[in-house]
Amino acid sequence: MKKQIVLLPGDGIGKEVMNAARDVLTAIAEEYNHTFSFETHEIGGAAIDQFGTPLPETTVDACKQADAVLLGAVGGPKWDNNPSHLRPERGLLGIRKALDLYANLRPIKGFKNLLHASPLKEEVVAGSDLLIVRELTGGLYFGTPSERRDNGQSVVDTLYYTRKEIERIVDKAFQAAQGRSGRLTSVDKANVLESSKLWREIVEEKKSQYPDVKVEHVLVDAAAMKLVTNPSHFDVIVTENMFGDILSDEASVLTGSLGMLPSASLNETGVGLYEPVHGSAPDIAGKGIANPVAMILSAALMLRYSFGLETEAKLIEDAVQSILDAGFYTADLQIAEGRKVNTEEMTKLIVDYIRTLNTSKCIASCYY
Ligand code: NAD
């Protein structure tokens, strides 16, 4: 398979973790006979410094022509006092809009060795492995008009969805559930909101197209409670923009470290933007100690959702799991026993696993 991938390292640790993802993808390409070509472009603070804008046209054009885009992170104190049109995050919002990314996918998995770092009891978070599918371009955040009325004494925001917008995200979630354990939870507020009633109707209509998926409807307040009392209840959750924003941040603390969480944002053509959930971490940038796992797992999502390479995606995920199980950890993960490694060493362990396809051999021969 031949694919063109645009790399947008961005700022801070974005550059460090991007190198890790590239090394892993190069290993996958060589092992499975794919041709991945990489083209690097600037975004965020780095683009402001070089081109005077957080999102140069050349970056947008390259992303539009690519098969997929990997993004590191943007931002940092250097640009914190810039006027709003010269803020690094403008680049991020701009590229999401330019690529019309309507579906945001966030997998959240409790890794065995990291359960103690979760704010929840280990027995509660053990076994959790869920995927939140959030609608990203409609709903309350995009409804018009948002306005203050009556001399500022009242205010209105509009929650607006078209049937088509709901159908496409619901389809995406059903398909994701088919590729996992076949359970889908649709989260809404259908006891109050008309938009949620339509959402629920559409999920019910779609059920017959996906007979292998078991569907339940849960109100958003109950879902928020269940996420912290029984997260392993969930497999795939699909929900509208604002509910998804809140629930995905709530769920992100389950694993105990931001450095482990990947994300995917997809458009209708299957082109996607893949990025870690974390930011540019200015406090550790340049030290070579950033955890590259979230970025590497984002590359795995790219293989799965944009290129349909499930075996290769799964191999990367297995590699990460095996290296953590073997006791290797980066500084952000407080693992009591094991061996602390830096960004480069963690990447090499994962790459070596992929190349040998044999954890015990690699770990024994390469590192002890
Ligand atoms: P952050 O995610 O950058 O960092 C929060 C904490 O987590 C820091 O202590 C950091 O060292 C640690 N951390 C994060 N990722 C890590 C990793 N991979 N390995 C090890 N430790 C890691 O959030 P923040 O400090 O609130 O924001 C810093 C900058 O990043 C800001 O400019 C913010 O606007 C930006 N930001 C960007 C994105 C994005 O690009 N998508 C997202 C969030 C924040």
Side-chain angles (χ1 to χ4, degrees):
M1 180 180 279
K2 278 191 178 174
K3 293 289 176 191
Q4 172 72 28
I5 301 163
V6 163
L7 307 179
L8 306 177
D11 307 314
I13 63 165
K15 294 183 195 305
E16 299 162 47
V17 296
M18 187 61 79
N19 288 336
R22 186 182 179 141
D23 287 353
V24 167
L25 288 171
T26 302
I28 288 285
E30 287 171 11
E31 293 299 322
Y32 287 86
N33 255 329
H34 301 305
T35 306
F36 295 152
S37 350
F38 301 103
E39 207 179 288
T40 301
H41 289 271
E42 300 297 351
I43 193 167
I48 295 171
D49 289 352
Q50 210 175 318
F51 301 101
T53 166
L55 186 62
E57 276 305 311
T58 45
T59 298
V60 177
D61 291 345
C63 291
K64 283 186 170 169
Q65 279 158 32
D67 296 306
V69 179
L70 284 182
L71 187 135
V74 299
K78 182 175 177 191
W79 307 279
D80 275 354
N81 297 320
N82 280 12
S84 64
H85 69 286
L86 285 180
R87 297 285 303 236
E89 55 270 29
R90 275 292 175 108
L92 195 53
L93 297 177
I95 196 64
R96 287 177 181 156
K97 190 155 183 243
L99 295 177
D100 194 19
L101 304 169
Y102 74 92
N104 181 243
L105 277 62
R106 275 212 213 173
I108 292 139
K109 187 172 174 175
F111 288 91
K112 203 174 59 189
N113 272 0
L114 303 180
L115 296 183
H116 67 278
S118 170
L120 302 185
K121 289 184 188 141
E122 285 191 41
E123 61 268 29
V124 172
V125 79
S128 45
D129 182 1
L130 57 113
L131 174 71
I132 298 186
V133 179
R134 166 189 169 194
E135 203 290 324
L136 206 55
T137 53
L140 201 55
Y141 298 169
F142 292 88
T144 49
S146 268
E147 57 170 318
R148 299 267 170 112
R149 291 179 182 167
D150 311 323
N151 287 329
Q153 296 311 297
S154 66
V155 66
V156 58
D157 290 303
T158 315
L159 205 173
Y160 176 84
Y161 268 115
T162 64
R163 168 170 273 276
K164 182 176 170 286
E165 283 173 325
I166 301 174
E167 282 176 350
R168 66 181 181 175
I169 191 77
V170 166
D171 274 323
K172 187 62 77 189
F174 269 106
Q175 288 152 13
Q178 282 180 317
R180 292 170 54 102
S181 76
R183 288 183 295 122
L184 177 64
T185 304
S186 174
V187 171
D188 61 33
K189 191 70 183 169
N191 54 342
V192 178
L193 298 175
E194 200 55 37
S195 55
S196 284
K197 287 180 192 152
L198 178 62
W199 183 283
R200 203 176 269 218
E201 275 168 39
I202 290 172
V203 173
E204 282 298 303
E205 284 165 24
K206 290 270 168 198
K207 258 171 36 178
S208 59
Q209 289 175 36
Y210 305 94
D212 48 340
V213 176
K214 196 165 169 280
V215 179
E216 65 167 355
H217 300 277
V218 177
L219 296 175
V220 63
D221 39 351
M225 277 197 286
K226 214 163 206 172
L227 263 179
V228 290
T229 52
N230 187 12
S232 54
H233 168 83
F234 297 107
D235 181 22
V236 178
I237 292 176
V238 62
T239 191
E240 63 92 43
N241 201 345
M242 185 178 69
F243 297 159
D245 188 10
I246 297 167
L247 292 183
S248 58
D249 270 14
E250 183 190 1
S252 71
V253 301
L254 297 176
T255 60
S257 176
L258 266 176
M260 303 295 295
L261 293 170
S263 79
S265 302
L266 309 174
N267 68 18
E268 287 193 78
T269 68
V271 170
L273 178 86
Y274 299 84
E275 56 181 321
V277 168
H278 64 71
S280 59
D283 53 337
I284 58 163
K287 296 185 179 164
I289 57 168
N291 184 349
V293 165
M295 187 77 241
I296 289 171
L297 292 177
S298 300
L301 295 183
M302 176 186 78
L303 299 181
R304 171 172 297 125
Y305 292 116
S306 282
F307 303 166
L309 297 175
E310 179 59 32
T311 305
E312 290 85 333
K314 188 78 180 40
L315 176 60
I316 295 176
E317 289 164 353
D318 287 349
V320 167
Q321 174 85 61
S322 302
I323 298 306
L324 289 171
D325 284 352
F328 294 99
Y329 65 96
T330 43
D332 55 311
L333 311 173
Q334 285 118 25
I335 294 181
E337 287 174 14
R339 181 167 150 194
K340 184 152 61 166
V341 291
N342 62 25
T343 313
E344 218 177 288
E345 289 165 328
M346 179 58 94
T347 308
K348 184 169 177 350
L349 283 160
I350 294 167
V351 165
D352 283 350
Y353 179 96
I354 289 166
R355 290 203 188 276
T356 61
L357 308 181
N358 181 340
T359 344
S360 53
K361 190 173 120 202
C362 170
I363 287 166
S365 64
C366 311
Y367 297 97
Y368 284 122

